[in-house]
Amino acid sequence: MLYAIFGQDIPDSLEKRKVARPAHLERLQALQNAGRLLLAGPFPAVDAVDPGVAGFTGSLIVAEFDSLENAEAWAAADPYVAAGVYTQVAVRPFKKVFPA
């Protein structure tokens, strides 16, 4: 089943994000290589593709996991969690409707 993972950033998270980003992307790449990643990306803090020093306010990952518990465990082990980028992480079951 698909699960949506929402990570909420701490204020001024950009420097911590930069440090943890390679390990974070490596885990996402592994999901993609396994055919389990639907989409992933950050929420810019301002209305721009590249928010510059404004940084980001959080992230969204939609991926396939065997269970809610597995999705929660995967999210809890994210390098952004360990680096203190996220203040909280929420995981919800997700049903993709479009595109069909």
Side-chain angles (χ1 to χ4, degrees), residues 28-53:
L28 291 172
Q29 187 65 56
L31 281 179
Q32 181 174 321
N33 292 348
R36 297 172 42 207
L37 182 65
L38 184 63
L39 63 89
F43 298 112
V46 295
D47 189 13
V49 174
D50 180 358
V53 297

Side-chain angles (χ1 to χ4, degrees), residues 16-30 74 77-80 82-83:
K16 287 185 177 189
R17 272 183 168 268
K18 288 178 181 178
V19 171
R21 188 169 191 262
H24 173 77
L25 294 180
E26 185 176 317
R27 294 179 83 234
L28 291 172
Q29 187 65 56
W74 187 91
D78 193 289
Y80 282 175

Side-chain angles (χ1 to χ4, degrees), residues 8-17 19-20 76 78-89:
Q8 180 68 43
D9 279 26
I10 63 168
D12 302 314
S13 63
L14 189 57
E15 290 307 314
K16 287 185 177 189
R17 272 183 168 268
V19 171
D78 193 289
Y80 282 175
V81 172
V85 172
Y86 293 151
T87 60
Q88 63 180 354
V89 177

Side-chain angles (χ1 to χ4, degrees), residues 1-5 61-63 65-68 71 91-94:
M1 178 164 188
L2 291 174
Y3 294 89
I5 301 169
I61 298 164
V62 179
F65 292 92
D66 292 333
S67 67
L68 177 59
V91 181
R92 304 275 189 278
F94 181 81

